[in-house]
Amino acid sequence: LALLFQHKLSFPTRNTTPQLTALAVLPFANLSASKEDEYFTDGMCDEILTQISKIGELNVMSRTSTLQYKGTTKSVRQIADELGADVILEGSVQKSNDKFRINVQLVDAKNDKHLWAESFDRPTTDVFAVQSEIASKIAIALDAALTETEKSLFDVVPTDNIQAYDFYLRGNKSIVDFWRYMRSEDGYQAERMYEQAIKLDPEFTAPYQALVDAYVSVYWEKLVINSDDYRVKAKMWLDKLIALKIDDVYTHSALATYKFKGEGDYEGSLAELNIVDQKIGNGKYTYLLRADILRRMGRIDASISY
């Protein structure tokens, strides 16, 4: 027994640090009869990406990385090679009045093999449940263990008012178009949609955060002559959000962005990002902003790592 034990100790030690599976969520195709329903398709894709990002054992690529493949004719393997992805999630959404159908498929990028595929036909009132269900099934398909914290995060519902959520998704589509095409009408449309969402549900924190981010980013980028006015608007919406006294990710994300871009308070912003990390369970949401802050603080190596 002593010799056997000694022999076992002679085996080389392996690196047991798990290699995270790199997953890219491609922009979903809009199969709705109306082109105007593209906001819902884009929104579903973004929200599902957000849910999947809560899984600590997956390395989920950002929307910024995958947006370039919207409407692409490139093959899954080519996209995966360009992104360095192991698996690709593709999908399509078809909305009709108060119902929707979503088709999703998970593809192994190395051999083009389908790992999992499913269709969901649901009323729009089930939109949050579908997003969570898809994320959970992806975790199972990729053999990614979920912690109790991650499971509980899947159950978080940002609002009980589906119409308010619909306006929020419309606002998100408009703000993406604003930054993509720099059209002022898209910015005004985003403002109206977010404000309408807040009007329907004054405690829905996501549109407050979106308004703070949009306004302070216009100020930060100095896109207009009166850019200081946009910092004032951002602070106004931030104060309204803080007054709700809701201790959630959206509130602390808004604080982090405003402290950085509106006040130049780097340490204060990092402190808020730490709170976001604690609430999400991993730091994936804060990487890009952290990198920017650390670069401006002169901490170049740390910035590059993020």
Side-chain angles (χ1 to χ4, degrees):
L1 288 174
L3 288 173
L4 179 61
F5 182 63
Q6 187 177 19
H7 179 65
K8 283 186 177 180
L9 286 179
S10 69
F11 285 169
T13 303
R14 289 190 306 142
N15 182 4
T16 57
T17 302
Q19 181 66 39
L20 297 183
T21 299
L23 187 153
V25 180
L26 299 186
F28 289 178
N30 176 33
L31 302 184
S32 304
S34 174
K35 179 85 165 63
E36 293 181 0
D37 285 331
E38 189 171 356
Y39 80 91
F40 186 81
T41 297
D42 290 349
M44 285 294 289
C45 182
D46 290 346
E47 295 295 299
I48 289 170
L49 186 153
T50 298
Q51 289 287 60
I52 300 171
S53 295
K54 296 173 183 176
I55 305 172
E57 290 192 3
L58 297 181
N59 176 18
V60 183
M61 298 182 182
S62 71
R63 186 182 192 280
T64 307
S65 300
T66 58
L67 184 61
Q68 60 182 306
Y69 298 105
K70 188 177 181 67
T72 186
T73 57
K74 292 182 178 180
S75 67
V76 167
R77 183 169 295 184
Q78 184 178 355
I79 294 171
D81 286 343
E82 292 176 3
L83 291 174
D86 301 310
V87 289
I88 298 285
L89 182 71
E90 298 178 301
S92 63
V93 179
Q94 184 174 6
K95 184 175 182 289
S96 179
N97 298 322
D98 59 350
K99 295 181 180 180
F100 71 95
R101 168 180 290 179
I102 179 168
N103 301 301
V104 285
Q105 56 184 6
L106 195 63
V107 182
D108 186 328
K110 298 183 183 66
N111 54 28
D112 237 356
K113 178 183 177 182
H114 283 68
L115 301 173
W116 167 74
E118 194 164 338
S119 296
F120 301 83
D121 289 282
R122 301 288 179 83
T124 51
T125 51
D126 282 355
V127 64
F128 301 122
V130 169
Q131 293 167 4
S132 298
E133 188 175 346
I134 289 174
S136 297
K137 291 190 173 183
I138 287 173
I140 293 171
L142 297 177
D143 198 26
L146 293 174
T147 66
E148 290 304 315
T149 298
E150 289 165 358
K151 291 177 183 177
S152 66
L153 289 172
F154 285 163
D155 296 330
V156 175
V157 175
T159 179
D160 293 324
N161 191 310
I162 293 299
Q163 191 176 2
Y165 183 69
D166 189 83
F167 278 115
Y168 171 66
L169 294 184
R170 291 175 185 269
N172 288 347
K173 176 68 168 62
S174 295
I175 204 65
V176 167
D177 288 344
F178 169 75
W179 288 111
R180 192 175 188 182
Y181 305 113
M182 302 307 291
R183 297 181 305 214
S184 58
E185 59 266 29
D186 291 322
Y188 296 138
Q189 174 74 355
E191 287 177 312
R192 291 192 295 270
M193 295 300 99
Y194 289 140
E195 289 177 11
Q196 189 62 33
I198 291 170
K199 183 177 180 181
L200 290 171
D201 182 359
E203 295 192 344
F204 181 17
T205 56
Y208 289 89
Q209 185 268 331
L211 283 168
V212 172
D213 184 83
Y215 285 133
V216 80
S217 294
V218 170
Y219 162 76
W220 176 259
E221 299 292 343
K222 300 294 187 286
L223 295 180
V224 292
I225 296 175
N226 58 329
S227 61
D228 283 345
D229 293 347
Y230 286 82
R231 183 173 62 85
V232 172
K233 288 183 179 181
K235 185 61 164 59
M236 178 190 73
W237 283 106
L238 179 63
D239 289 342
K240 290 182 178 181
L241 175 56
I242 293 172
L244 297 176
K245 297 182 179 180
I246 298 176
D247 182 23
D248 69 357
V249 168
Y250 294 111
T251 299
H252 291 286
S253 293
L255 279 163
T257 304
Y258 186 82
K259 283 178 180 292
F260 172 39
K261 295 183 177 180
E263 298 177 344
D265 180 3
Y266 300 156
E267 294 291 352
S269 182
L270 290 174
E272 294 297 335
L273 293 179
N274 289 338
I275 297 173
V276 173
D277 288 350
Q278 292 168 8
K279 291 184 175 298
I280 293 298
N282 58 64
K284 296 174 184 174
Y285 285 82
T286 67
Y287 285 170
L288 186 59
L289 192 56
R290 279 184 183 276
D292 199 359
I293 294 170
L294 291 168
R295 177 174 63 85
R296 292 173 184 277
M297 295 175 74
R299 296 166 59 183
I300 304 303
D301 289 343
S303 175
I304 290 173
S305 71
Y306 280 110

